[in-house]
Amino acid sequence: MSDLSVAIVAGLHADARRATVAQLLHDVPGSVVLHHDLATATAGTVVRTIRDATGIVDAGETPLVNDCACCALREDLVPELRRLARTGQVRLAIVELWDSVEPKAMAEVITSGGLTVTAVITAVDPSLLLPYLGNGDDLATAGLAAAATDERTIADTFARQLEYAPVLTVLHSDEADDEDRELLAQLHPTAHQVPVGGTDLPRGGGAQDNTLTPNPPGARGTARPAPTDPHPAHNPTSTPPPASTPSTPNPPGARGTARPAPTDPHSAHNPNHPPPTRPPANPPRSVLARAALAGFDVDAAAAAQHPACALLPVEADAHGVTTLVWHRRRPFHPERLYAALEDITCAAARSRGRFWLADKPDSLLHWDAAGGALCVESAGPWLASLPDAAWELVPPVRRAAAALDWHPEHGDCCQHLVFTSPGLDRDGLELLLESCLLTDTEYAAGRSAWKRIPSAFDTLLEI
């Protein structure tokens, strides 16, 4: 296998994604773009194209797998990347994901196939940030579902695309203001932001209306079990995968593994347009090119999304945007919290973290809300509830995260929720959250009494 580098470019903002891909083709000689168009899935196939800076060099179709477009993508992607690697003529393979495909599962599939992912990039138009985070419509309603069973929403899909990628390309937009840019910075404060699409930079072709209508003001929030994602980047395991030793440092985790794709009878390779000759590996000059080749640690990225050790945003307040970090060492009363879910969920454009219910004191629960809808999931046990012998089975990154937040009485059990939004009513939200905690009398009764409190989350947790 050659030293082919693979950069994943994702995002629901198609114009920003195209501008990013065009910039990479311009800045990295010897690069090609591999794209699977899932919009054709209703006809029973997924169209694959490979192009360089001059146009399409290869095209073909791959059939659906289990009536799932994303499954077809996974079956076809690794073999195509391996074929490119064998030519020895491609320096960088840019995997441009279709609109609603999440980068986490694809990065894990590519890595498990023996290839090297050197970057995961999500492309963003800052003027569309709030409309997408506020859109609680199902992907199917917008024609963006990856399969008939795809239950994800526009808001939660976009949030995961945004928060997984360590690099964000930010499309130049005259419509974006300081509030939009501040919201982006607070949602993902550790991301490396790279501008694309200015007047002096190449732009992606094919105009598309990316404006999606958010839920109207006052829309009722909803709480539901975490949706089953046919593209398995949404269902977290109870613990994150063991963190490798990186050279540099969810409702979500991939379960699938890469398998060889069937022979494609519809391959349309053009012999008159051979793959580009790979140039000498000179150091890339542009910021985006360097980011695309910098390196990416799949295990560390998965751990950073797991609710037990997620790298959550920090307190911030600027340009009308506020991030509230709410941390407490007392469990929620399940019935009072359930009654307040709608108000809490609708209080912020985005909220996430981990929480602790009195009737389930040993279970770490995942909070994931966007677009007025909340998904809750069990993420396994708190470490404090495990016997000492089981600690050796816990990934080191999880143990380290717990140690940083360890309480002498409750261990790692806590409320750690983060709310980010323009116009956030910080004081009102804090009062509402506090009212959902156990009272002093309820708390003093102890764990045996807590477990007898009537459950209110069993339906959401699918127990």
Side-chain angles (χ1 to χ4, degrees):
M1 193 74 69
S2 78
D3 56 348
L4 175 72
S5 297
V6 180
I8 296 172
V9 179
L12 278 163
H13 296 171
D15 285 347
R17 200 178 64 236
R18 292 191 193 99
T20 300
V21 169
Q23 187 70 60
L24 283 171
L25 285 174
H26 176 271
D27 291 351
V28 184
S31 59
V32 299
V33 179
L34 178 62
H35 178 65
H36 289 78
D37 189 347
L38 274 57
T40 61
T42 54
T45 59
V46 172
V47 176
R48 176 214 321 119
T49 57
I50 299 175
R51 70 184 191 278
D52 62 12
T54 66
I56 293 177
V57 298
D58 191 89
E61 294 181 351
T62 184
L64 293 189
V65 177
N66 300 322
D67 293 324
C68 172
C70 268
C71 298
L73 187 163
R74 291 169 52 210
E75 292 286 333
D76 191 65
L77 181 58
V78 168
E80 282 299 311
L81 289 171
R82 286 175 172 165
R83 184 180 67 79
L84 290 173
R86 285 193 297 269
T87 68
Q89 297 174 321
V90 178
R91 179 181 186 185
L92 175 67
I94 306 160
V95 176
E96 181 190 357
L97 298 180
W98 188 71
D99 300 75
S100 68
V101 178
E102 296 181 30
K104 182 178 187 295
M106 293 303 107
E108 292 170 351
V109 165
I110 293 168
T111 302
S112 69
L115 295 147
T116 302
V117 176
T118 54
V120 173
I121 301 166
T122 293
V124 181
D125 180 341
S127 70
L128 299 177
L129 188 61
L130 193 56
Y132 275 66
L133 279 178
N135 194 314
D137 289 345
D138 292 336
L139 290 172
T141 302
L144 296 172
T149 57
D150 195 341
E151 299 176 348
R152 295 173 297 157
T153 70
I154 290 167
D156 63 39
T157 301
F158 176 67
R160 285 190 298 274
Q161 289 177 336
L162 179 74
E163 292 156 2
Y164 180 74
V167 177
L168 302 178
T169 49
V170 183
L171 183 68
H172 173 78
S173 172
D174 293 332
E175 289 75 34
D177 57 20
D178 288 342
E179 181 181 281
D180 296 322
R181 287 182 279 271
E182 181 64 26
L183 179 58
L184 181 60
Q186 290 189 28
L187 286 168
H188 196 345
T190 62
H192 179 197
Q193 292 190 24
V194 181
V196 294
T199 55
D200 58 334
L201 300 176
R203 297 295 301 270
Q208 177 172 324
D209 181 8
N210 288 295
T211 304
L212 293 172
T213 304
N215 289 342
R220 293 179 63 82
T222 58
R224 61 184 187 178
T228 301
D229 184 355
H231 158 37
H234 187 71
N235 301 316
T237 54
S238 60
T239 57
S244 59
T245 303
S247 56
T248 58
N250 114 103
R255 297 183 302 236
T257 55
R259 293 176 289 172
T263 302
D264 183 357
H266 305 295
S267 178
H269 177 66
N270 183 355
N272 297 318
H273 196 158
T277 301
R278 180 171 177 172
N282 297 321
R285 296 181 179 179
S286 78
V287 174
L288 181 57
R290 291 197 299 272
L293 297 166
F296 180 77
D297 190 304
V298 170
D299 291 335
Q305 297 304 305
H306 191 277
C309 42
L311 297 178
L312 297 172
V314 297
E315 290 269 350
D317 189 356
H319 299 293
V321 181
T322 300
T323 293
L324 165 65
V325 178
W326 192 75
H327 191 276
R328 297 293 184 272
R329 290 291 184 177
R330 183 174 293 201
F332 281 124
H333 188 287
E335 292 180 315
R336 290 200 294 273
L337 177 62
Y338 190 86
L341 282 183
E342 181 178 332
D343 291 335
I344 297 172
T345 300
C346 292
R350 176 67 170 144
S351 58
R352 54 190 173 124
R354 54 190 180 270
F355 69 107
W356 185 24
L357 285 178
D359 63 314
K360 297 174 176 58
D362 297 330
S363 297
L364 189 161
L365 301 174
H366 182 201
W367 178 288
D368 186 36
L374 167 69
C375 292
V376 297
E377 292 179 288
S378 174
W382 296 102
L383 293 194
S385 68
L386 295 178
D388 291 345
W391 277 55
E392 292 302 318
L393 304 177
V394 176
V397 65
R398 172 80 188 274
R399 297 199 302 268
L404 290 173
D405 196 29
W406 197 261
H407 185 272
E409 182 180 358
H410 300 302
D412 58 333
C413 301
C414 68
Q415 318 293 354
H416 189 172
L417 299 175
V418 177
F419 300 83
T420 299
S421 188
L424 186 72
D425 180 4
R426 181 190 182 101
D427 293 340
L429 180 56
E430 285 190 285
L431 285 172
L432 180 59
L433 290 166
E434 297 285 349
S435 73
C436 298
L437 295 172
L438 293 185
T439 65
D440 290 345
T441 301
E442 291 165 340
Y443 179 76
R447 288 193 171 220
S448 60
W450 301 351
K451 292 181 180 180
R452 295 194 295 270
I453 298 174
S455 296
F457 281 78
D458 287 357
T459 301
L460 294 179
L461 294 170
E462 298 184 331
I463 294 175

